[in-house]
Amino acid sequence: VFSTVGGSVTLPCRGVNRKDCSTTTWVFSSRSQRAAVELVNLGKIRDQKPGRVSLGSDCSLHVHTLSTQDTGLYTCQQFVYDQQQGEDSPVSLSLLTIQVSPGAELRTGSTVTLHCLLDTNWSPEHCPSPLHSYTVIWVTETGAELQGDRYQISSSPCSSYLTVRLQPSDHSRQWRCDVTQDRAVTFTHRYSTLLTDGSGARPTPQKPGRTETSPAGKTPVTQSEPGPGPEMTSSSVTGT
């Protein structure tokens, strides 16, 4: 399952024993934590952040305001009288992000680097997973791989840097990053470059861009306008 930082996700649970979720337990584990964390115990929310986790009517797990710390393995289990019923129902969550450097205002003629990163539960040396051949690529809005002399692209399986010198036509342009598996698109993330000297644009140094995200083949379903952060350089970001 894929989502983005700041977004929400619904994780399915298979083999639910009771429709009221009174037998359902959700456990979270990741490579950055020594021990698993119980998010739901027999239908009762145990997460320490109120409102961040909820259960659906089918006992699926809804996680809101996602951060990179939420990347990992979520396991749904069924218990009756302290005895597990059936097998575990695991779901792996990966987050796709686009980081921008510089993080200040963007102007015509300036150079910007967009870093599309797939954050997974696998260790960096095993990205993509041995079981899944995921690739992160920059594409045009028609889905063709982005090519041309003005684009400098450096990629690894789960990370791709795009460096470009901005032109007037890049104002409000959506830069699209895809996650593919065996050449089929599984998830899409977009970033819009808003130029302070663009056509009809007012200077907006606090909101240099906009991100849009959608599952493959669908229109964007979430939007966010991140504020400025510390400047990122290619050497300061490590792909996973």
Side-chain angles (χ1 to χ4, degrees):
V1 175
F2 299 91
S3 190
T4 60
V5 171
S8 300
V9 71
T10 297
L11 306 176
C13 179
R14 297 185 299 273
V16 174
N17 190 275
R18 294 181 183 174
K19 293 183 178 180
D20 63 359
C21 304
S22 61
T23 61
T24 298
T25 292
W26 276 97
V27 177
F28 170 71
S29 60
S30 71
R31 58 184 171 85
S32 62
Q33 294 181 334
R34 293 184 178 180
V37 177
E38 192 173 68
L39 301 177
V40 177
N41 178 268
L42 302 180
K44 297 181 179 180
I45 305 299
R46 298 296 189 189
D47 187 68
Q48 297 181 354
K49 298 179 181 179
R52 195 184 74 95
V53 171
S54 60
L55 282 177
S57 59
D58 57 354
C59 304
S60 58
L61 185 70
H62 303 310
V63 186
H64 311 281
T65 319
L66 292 166
S67 71
T68 54
Q69 295 179 345
D70 295 317
T71 298
L73 185 66
Y74 294 76
T75 303
C76 184
Q77 301 170 324
Q78 303 297 311
F79 287 92
V80 176
Y81 299 116
D82 295 328
Q83 296 294 321
Q84 183 170 351
Q85 306 295 307
E87 299 180 351
D88 288 351
S89 176
V91 184
S92 180
L93 174 63
S94 299
L95 298 181
L96 186 64
T97 64
I98 296 179
Q99 300 170 331
V100 186
S101 174
E105 63 183 37
L106 302 176
R107 294 179 177 274
T108 300
S110 62
T111 299
V112 64
T113 296
L114 306 180
H115 180 204
C116 189
L117 174 66
L118 180 62
D119 191 0
T120 72
N121 189 43
W122 313 301
S123 58
E125 61 269 21
H126 291 134
C127 186
S129 161
L131 301 178
H132 303 286
S133 55
Y134 293 125
T135 302
V136 173
I137 60 172
W138 291 99
V139 298
T140 66
E141 276 305 308
T142 61
E145 188 169 354
L146 193 64
Q147 296 179 342
D149 294 338
R150 67 180 295 237
Y151 308 120
Q152 299 179 29
I153 299 177
S154 175
S155 300
S156 61
C158 291
S159 173
S160 184
Y161 289 92
L162 167 63
T163 300
V164 60
R165 188 177 181 86
L166 296 172
Q167 300 177 350
S169 59
D170 293 325
H171 178 61
S172 295
R173 174 172 176 172
Q174 290 191 345
W175 303 89
R176 172 179 160 183
C177 178
D178 283 356
V179 176
T180 66
Q181 181 181 9
D182 299 326
R183 298 187 178 182
V185 179
T186 60
F187 196 73
T188 292
H189 197 19
R190 293 175 173 86
Y191 182 86
S192 294
T193 46
L194 303 181
L195 308 185
T196 58
D197 56 349
S199 176
R202 296 180 179 179
T204 54
Q206 298 301 314
K207 297 180 180 180
R210 179 175 62 189
T211 58
E212 297 185 1
T213 307
S214 65
K218 296 185 179 180
T219 55
V221 295
T222 61
Q223 295 186 5
S224 61
E225 294 188 350
E231 289 195 0
M232 179 202 73
T233 62
S234 298
S235 60
S236 66
V237 178
T238 302
T240 58

